[in-house]
Amino acid sequence: MTISSIPTSREQLWALLAEAAEIEHHLMCCYLYAAFSLKQEADAGLSSEDLPYVLRWRQEILGVAIEEMGHLAMVCNILSAIGAPAHLAHQNFPIAPGYHPAGVVVKLTPFNPSTLQHFIFLERPEDHDVADGAGFEPPQTYHRLTNMNRLMTVGTDYVTVGQLYAIIALGMTSLTEKLGEKVLFSGNPEHQLDEATGRLPGLKVVRCLATAQQALDAIVRQGEGAAASEERSHYQRFIAIQQEYESLVASRDDFQPAYAAAENPVMRIPPTPEGKVWVNCEPASSLIDLGNALYNHCLRCLSLAYSGVGRSTQALLVRTSIDLMKFLSPVASRLAQLPANLEYPGVTAGVSFATIRSSAALLGDVTSLGILAERLDEIAGRCERLGQNAAGQDDVLTATRDGVAHLATRLKAHVAGAAEHGAIAEGAEQLAPPVAGARSHAALASEGSPHTPVVSIAGGPPQPIPMSDGYERIPGPDIDLIYSGKRCIHARYCVTGLPGVFMANVVGPWINPAAASTEDLVTVAHMCPSGAIQYKRHDGGQNEQAPPVNILRVNENGPLALRAETWIDQVPAGMRLTLCRCGASANKPYCDGSHNTIKFRASGEPDSRPSDPLAARGGPLFIEPELNGPLNVTGNLEVCTGTGRTVDRVRTARLCRCGGSANKPFCDNSHRANGFRS
């Protein structure tokens, strides 16, 4: 690189970072497209013996794509740190010559030997001589203007993506010397995403030149690899897949691990059809429309997360964005199995990741969340109509409809909270209230009021009265006990503390509130860690109140015990809960004792992490179980060992529930590799 290729102004640095963001975004889409084209079950050209290889390749490529999303988020953090908005837009595929240097060819292609070689070429270290895949030759040779000492931004030539980041790093250093570090890095850090809110490992807030350089180093190291021997770099991971692929091809002439998905599918009649396939066959035409709608709305949510909203709103927007990408995956995989265009026999469709002109971030106020929810309702409605027109019930459309409708409900609940407590603009940390119609556990406990007289049989325990959600109310003279068998983890505080009330090993009714004082009953109920035992007083005394400090205790070889006013998926879940962390419970997210059956082993004494005291220690706690992933927690929470030592103090956290994290109780994304399902 030459001195003239180094940015000399903030404007030029913005432009290079925006190009880096688009490179990461383009690569992510290309990797996803190839992964979605891989078969997921035995088929013509893929035996059941070879299927595990292909499923592993799919997971590996998806993992690389997720890391590219992390790189994109890191670049957006740097942009935000130097005063620019996050850059999440990109050109539609295929990328026209001149948009990137001549040697960087970007187009959507299915998994095949040429595509795999192209991925290796794109991720190659600068000192490696690697050939590009066949069919990815640049359509023309050209050179970009590299003199950056101009007012308007210009592009620069670079051989590898790593070289682009080297130019950016030199530009940041030069501008820091020219402007001063505080002047260059003047953006508000609260506009950025971190590992907790962004749910991407290693994602850190950029505040200065050192943290910006660390982010760039992490991107290059994870992509190209600091050395050819770094096995988990993208370069080495693609080479490993290529070696396995070539070995299987050598032993089976008819080996076909992927569908013949279209090269550069498009939704509309292209004005320049060369190198593109117009997807006009049904149902593929409708599904590519749905897939692109999910993808664009994901970008909208993510853009708003960077716009200076409060932290709880930011975390909600990121969760919504990630969930939309999860809903996109089965839609895109289904597209790869459907005919694209009758003029191209044997060619199947694929999602085109087409972006729309109105993809810019919405304004950071409460109306934007309402607009996002409105769009989700539209997408859910379209899934409903497509499902009605399909021959039989389409499981992908049904799952997408239900999932998107849930996201809309979640956003509306947050809007209702903002309307009650104030705007969602920067610094507003109010959390959402219950969804309209949701009942608190106090209301649940009062079902059947006015107080029903005690009904006992031959002086024994009274008959329990069925309630909602599997609860039973056992009436007593001054206090009714509320019991849930599904929540019970058999901690045995009840049968050992008050054996005259909680009579083990009896047939029929086994709880008799009349056999102990109200104070003793309240004490034992509060000792129940799972919330299986609750109560409703009708003697004028105080019912259970939210604790002043929200505590999560990590039990040795067992569940996570939570004490807080908790809402799960915007539905009240009580003040005391035990949450599964072994991955085996049949009553997720609650523990059902399966950790004993599978002999789960996990320390109850994880290492403490540096943390500052929370400004507030109580208040409502919101848990959103991620599909096939961790528990996403928002609210004030102190994580403690089983013996009470503080592990961390958090406002947002991702808690492992697959049992596989090496960083328990926190998620390290092991669920992606171990096949956890929830």
Side-chain angles (χ1 to χ4, degrees), residues 121 300 303 318 351 354 396 410 448 539 546 561 589 671:
F121 175 80
R300 270 234 178 93
S303 293
V318 173
V351 66
V396 170
R410 198 164 67 186
D539 62 350
H671 57 277

Side-chain angles (χ1 to χ4, degrees), residues 441 471 481-482 487-488 493 521-536 543-547 551 560-568 572-579 590:
H441 272 257
Y471 285 83
L481 294 179
I482 316 295
R487 292 276 288 270
C488 182
Y493 288 110
L521 293 173
V522 168
T523 297
V524 167
H526 286 181
M527 292 173 67
C528 175
S530 67
I533 298 174
Q534 301 174 37
Y535 61 89
K536 172 67 175 177
N543 288 306
E544 186 169 6
Q545 302 296 301
I551 294 289
L560 301 171
L562 180 63
R563 288 184 180 259
E565 180 191 343
T566 307
W567 300 74
I568 296 180
M575 313 291 184
R576 293 168 279 114
L577 304 82
T578 45
L579 303 171
Y590 303 107

Side-chain angles (χ1 to χ4, degrees), residues 29 59 134 157 176 178 254 257 267 335 345 378 453 517 526 583 591 594 631 672:
C29 293
Q59 287 304 116
D157 277 323
T176 297
K178 176 182 177 180
D254 64 342
M267 294 177 57
L335 274 165
E378 290 175 355
S517 69
H526 286 181
C591 170
S594 292
L631 298 173
R672 294 172 181 163

Side-chain angles (χ1 to χ4, degrees), residues 51-390:
L51 179 61
Y53 291 95
V54 178
L55 293 177
R56 179 155 44 78
W57 299 345
R58 176 185 168 91
Q59 287 304 116
E60 192 78 343
I61 297 173
L62 289 175
V64 171
I66 291 170
E67 288 177 0
E68 294 293 350
M69 173 55 77
H71 297 175
L72 173 58
M74 290 180 193
V75 173
C76 287
N77 276 1
I78 298 174
L79 278 165
S80 180
I82 63 173
H87 189 83
L88 295 167
H90 68 76
Q91 292 291 301
N92 288 333
F93 296 96
I95 308 306
Y99 200 73
H100 297 309
V104 182
V105 176
V106 183
K107 57 184 180 180
L108 298 175
T109 55
F111 181 95
N112 57 42
S114 294
T115 296
L116 197 50
Q117 183 62 37
H118 181 57
F119 292 168
I120 293 170
F121 175 80
L122 291 174
E123 297 282 7
R124 72 195 186 283
E126 188 174 344
D127 58 353
H128 281 50
D129 186 14
V130 176
D132 205 344
F136 290 90
E137 298 83 6
Q140 61 191 81
T141 300
Y142 56 87
H143 296 283
R144 304 167 95 189
L145 179 67
T146 58
N147 184 3
M148 293 211 171
N149 191 25
R150 300 169 68 95
L151 284 175
M152 290 300 294
T153 60
V154 297
T156 187
D157 277 323
Y158 46 90
V159 177
T160 66
V161 177
Q163 193 175 89
L164 170 61
Y165 283 118
I167 295 170
I168 290 171
L170 288 173
M172 289 193 306
T173 301
S174 174
L175 286 171
T176 297
E177 295 172 354
K178 176 182 177 180
L179 303 175
E181 189 170 49
K182 289 186 177 180
V183 173
L184 179 61
F185 295 92
S186 57
N188 187 339
E190 306 227 350
H191 288 210
Q192 299 179 42
L193 302 182
D194 59 17
E195 189 168 352
T197 53
R199 290 157 61 176
L200 291 165
L203 182 59
K204 293 181 172 58
V205 172
V206 173
R207 302 176 184 274
C208 59
L209 178 62
T211 51
Q213 289 176 329
Q214 288 168 9
L216 295 182
D217 290 344
I219 293 171
V220 174
R221 187 171 60 253
Q222 195 172 57
E224 299 177 354
S229 60
E230 189 163 332
E231 295 181 0
R232 295 308 293 168
S233 71
H234 297 175
Y235 175 70
Q236 292 292 348
R237 289 159 78 176
F238 284 134
I239 287 179
I241 294 174
Q242 184 185 59
Q243 290 171 344
E244 286 190 341
Y245 175 82
E246 291 176 346
S247 176
L248 290 173
V249 168
S251 62
R252 295 170 178 80
D253 293 338
D254 64 342
F255 181 57
Q256 295 179 347
Y259 298 103
E263 183 173 301
N264 294 318
V266 294
M267 294 177 57
R268 294 174 284 273
I269 301 176
T272 53
E274 295 78 17
K276 308 182 186 89
V277 175
W278 175 31
V279 178
N280 60 3
C281 285
E282 287 293 354
S285 179
S286 292
L287 279 185
I288 191 175
D289 178 51
L290 171 61
N292 284 334
L294 291 168
Y295 164 68
N296 276 272
H297 209 54
C298 160
L299 297 183
R300 270 234 178 93
C301 293
L302 200 55
S303 293
L304 187 57
Y306 273 102
S307 68
V309 296
R311 192 166 174 83
S312 62
T313 302
Q314 186 182 55
L316 174 63
L317 288 166
V318 173
R319 288 201 302 272
T320 304
S321 178
I322 291 174
D323 287 343
L324 285 167
M325 287 301 291
K326 289 183 176 180
F327 299 148
L328 171 62
S329 179
V331 172
S333 298
R334 177 65 60 83
L335 274 165
Q337 304 173 47
L338 298 172
N341 187 316
L342 295 180
E343 295 182 11
Y344 300 89
V347 174
T348 58
V351 66
S352 63
F353 299 101
T355 57
I356 54 182
R357 292 176 179 174
S358 56
S359 60
L362 298 171
L363 297 176
D365 60 33
V366 69
T367 59
S368 293
L369 290 185
I371 292 170
L372 292 176
E374 175 188 285
R375 178 62 169 168
L376 289 170
D377 284 336
E378 290 175 355
I379 295 173
R382 179 58 56 90
C383 291
E384 176 73 23
R385 290 194 295 278
L386 292 177
Q388 291 171 352
N389 295 333

